[in-house]
Amino acid sequence: MSDLDSSILSAFLEAGKSPVSGDRLAKELGVSRVTIWTRLERLRTQGFIFEASTRKGYTLTSVPEALNEALVLAHLRTLKVTAEVEFMAVVDSTNSEAERRIALGRQAPFFVLAQKQTAGRGRLGRKWHSEHPGNLYLSLALRPFIPPDRLKPFTLWMGLALCAHLDEVHGVRLGLKWPNDLQTADGRKLAGMLTEARLDADTVRDLVFGLGLNVTAQTKDFPAELREVATSLAMSSKRDFEINLVAAQIVAALERAWDDFSNDRWNENFKNYWKRYDNLTGKTVTIQLRGKPVSGVVQGVDDDGSLILNDTAGQRMLISSGEVTLPKV
Ligand code: BTN
C-alpha cells in the first residue's frame, strides 16, 4: 500500500456518487494518467469496483468487505484523524504485536489493526475468536507514564466511550457489562476489551488497550460454541456496516477517549455514560474473586470504576476486578 492509493480513494469518497475524472486526479496528485489507471486496476483486485462513466470518469460503487489499509487511511483522512496505524493481514495477536513494537522502541501512541489473529487473547487466558475479516481486531499502544492508581478506571472509561460512540454515530445501543464486555440488551456479547500494562517502579510505562468488536459477522461466521452468546453490529441491528468506515471511526473515538482520559477530562462524562450504559446496577450477580465466588446486588461503581456490591450478608464490598456472572433466566 502507498499513500497514493489512499489519496485516490479519498478523492472517490469526497466525490460520493459523482464521477471522478482520471485526468483531474492525475493532475491533482502529480502523477501520470497511466499511474492512476494502474492503481485503479490494482485496487480492483482488492475488491473495489470503479464504474466508468463515458468521458466523465469513474465512480466508486463497491468496496472490499474485509479490512483494507488504503480505505481505512482514506476514511481517517476524511475524519481528520492523524493517529499512526499499522495494518497486518494476519498476526498472532494485535496486543502482542503492539507490545513487541513498543519493546523495540516504537513511539506511542499508535494503533495495530489486523484482518485476522491466529492467537487472539481474551481475559483470563481465554481465546478470542478472530477468523472473520469483517470484524475488528485492534490495539492501541500507549506510553502513559502515570501512576498505576490513575489507571484504575481506564478500561471502563474506554468501554463507556465506545458505547457512547456506537450509540451516537451508529444508533446501536449497547450496555457495558463491567468491567470489559459490550453487550446487546439480550445479553449477547458484541465486543470485548483487554488492557495489558507494564509497570516500571511506580509508573505505568507501556499500556496496550485491545478491542475485539464484531462488525459484519453473521451466526455462521462464529464457531458453534459462540453462536448462542455472540453477536455483531450487523446481526443485532439487521443493517449493513462497512468495516473500513467503522474501523476508522472507532480509531478516532478511541483516540479521543484516550485524550480525555490522559488530560483528566473523562470525569465530565463518566457518571452520565455509566448511568446510560451500565448493565449491572440493581442486578444480583456472582463475581469470581481470585477463584472464590461472591454473590450480591450491584450498587454501581465508585470514582475509580470499582464495582460496589452489597453481598448476601448486607456488607458493602468494593471490587476492582473479577468475572461477573448473572443468574440464568
Ligand atoms: C475479552 O472479552 O475477554 C477481551 C477480548 C479482547 C480481544 C481483543 S482482539 C484485539 C486484541 N488482541 C488480542 O489478542 N486481544 C484483543
Side-chain angles (χ1 to χ4, degrees), residues 92-96 112 117 119-124 126-128 130 136-139 180-181 189 191-196 209-213:
D92 52 353
S93 144
T94 54
N95 269 31
S96 304
V112 180
Q117 300 182 118
R121 292 201 295 276
R123 280 177 79 232
L124 309 168
R126 294 192 187 118
K127 236 180 96 184
W128 184 258
S130 312
L136 199 57
Y137 315 109
L138 159 163
S139 299
N180 77 317
D181 289 359
K189 184 157 168 171
M193 300 174 286
L194 177 69
T195 299
E196 296 175 306
F209 169 81
L211 172 70
L213 187 137

Side-chain angles (χ1 to χ4, degrees), residues 14 51 73 83 123 329:
E14 253 170 57
E51 277 176 14
L73 291 178
R123 280 177 79 232
V329 278

Side-chain angles (χ1 to χ4, degrees), residues 59-74:
T59 317
L60 176 61
T61 56
S62 188
V63 299
E65 284 176 11
L67 196 71
N68 180 281
E69 177 172 2
L71 186 53
V72 176
L73 291 178

